[in-house]
Amino acid sequence: MFTSCQEFLQFQEETLYLAVHLLNRSLRQLKVTTANLQLLGMVCLFIAAKKEESLLPDVSGLCSLMAHTYTKHQLLRMERKVLFALNFDLSYCPPLHLLLLLASVARCSATVVWMARYLLELSLLEGQCVVFLPVQLAGAALCLARQVLQECPTPEGEAAWCLASSIHVGSEATLLRIMHILASAAANFNSQETCATFIKFSSPETLQVSRHPGLNNAASLLGVCS
């Protein structure tokens, strides 16, 4: 739902990551029925947009995206519940920012960066990834992207990568566990959950990284993360 809405509303990727973060935190603080999960998700996206976007959609427009299953009053009431449950704390450093920082230090190519961004966005759909730190998710996505693409290394690039990978992002076992989760998600690109993300990263603007054949057997490439 989030990726489709983000694309339709032309929100920044930071809004998407914050919305998922707020949803995960809200689910730990609030008792929400299955019938209201869509409403909670839309409210978290709305709150994230208020923090990250300069132009906001009309509340009635958000209701129409949910096929008017919920009223404007219900959406605003849920917004108040979420904000109080979170104590109005919306601070968050998304893994995307950390990924771009690591990629810059490591002087990764544009293809590696887009591949890592694709893999990182797939992590938003994986419940297993909730327990990991943003820096761990960013490091694993970048590491897996390098494994999949197998670009010819340069001495300068490898030296920069060693510097970037020296930043503490958790144990090797943790990184490999995340990489396996992301590799599995990428291999299931035609599932209902990942379809929107696959389409998003199959465009020329994203270098069509989601269509890279190496993703089909990414799990078999995983050994020691270097």
Side-chain angles (χ1 to χ4, degrees):
M1 179 192 94
F2 278 137
T3 298
S4 299
C5 289
Q6 180 232 348
E7 288 280 281
F8 181 78
L9 296 169
Q10 298 183 317
F11 284 164
Q12 301 178 80
E13 286 186 295
E14 287 82 357
T15 303
L16 172 65
Y17 281 91
L18 178 57
V20 174
H21 173 69
L22 295 178
L23 176 62
N24 291 332
R25 286 180 57 202
S26 297
L27 288 173
R28 292 195 291 267
Q29 298 292 331
L30 296 171
K31 291 183 178 179
V32 182
T33 63
T34 304
N36 283 331
L37 277 177
Q38 184 185 26
L39 176 61
L40 177 61
M42 186 60 75
V43 163
C44 289
L45 184 62
F46 185 43
I47 294 172
K50 285 185 174 183
K51 184 174 185 292
E52 300 291 345
E53 303 292 333
S54 55
L55 296 175
L56 291 176
D58 183 71
V59 175
S60 300
L62 297 179
C63 292
S64 66
L65 285 177
M66 297 185 288
H68 295 286
T69 305
Y70 311 95
T71 66
K72 179 178 177 180
H73 174 72
Q74 287 175 306
L75 190 148
L76 294 176
R77 184 173 61 184
M78 179 64 81
E79 180 188 21
R80 288 194 295 272
K81 288 178 64 176
V82 169
L83 289 172
F84 277 110
L86 301 180
N87 198 28
F88 291 86
D89 178 13
L90 307 181
S91 58
Y92 181 58
C93 179
L96 177 61
H97 287 179
L98 299 168
L99 185 151
L100 295 176
L101 176 61
L102 290 173
S104 177
V105 173
R107 300 179 187 175
C108 294
S109 69
T111 308
V112 168
V113 174
W114 278 114
M115 177 65 77
R117 289 176 72 158
Y118 171 54
L119 295 168
L120 187 62
E121 194 156 316
L122 287 176
S123 74
L124 296 176
L125 305 170
E126 298 296 321
Q128 302 173 74
C129 289
V130 174
V131 298
F132 300 114
L133 298 173
V135 69
Q136 293 172 331
L137 295 170
L142 196 57
C143 205
L144 181 56
R146 283 169 50 90
Q147 294 273 10
V148 169
L149 292 171
Q150 294 289 301
E151 292 186 342
C152 294
T154 64
E156 184 182 47
E158 286 304 294
W161 172 252
C162 289
L163 174 62
S165 59
S166 67
I167 300 173
H168 179 70
V169 293
S171 67
E172 182 180 287
T174 297
L175 288 182
L176 283 174
R177 181 183 171 195
I178 300 171
M179 290 166 69
H180 274 289
I181 294 171
L182 299 182
S184 177
N188 295 323
F189 64 89
N190 57 352
S191 69
Q192 183 177 356
E193 292 79 13
T194 61
C195 183
T197 305
F198 173 83
I199 293 173
K200 175 181 176 180
F201 285 88
S202 65
S203 67
E205 292 78 13
T206 62
L207 305 184
Q208 300 178 321
V209 291
S210 64
R211 297 183 181 276
H212 193 282
L215 291 171
N216 295 329
N217 61 342
S220 65
L221 298 173
L222 299 182
V224 176
C225 181
S226 60

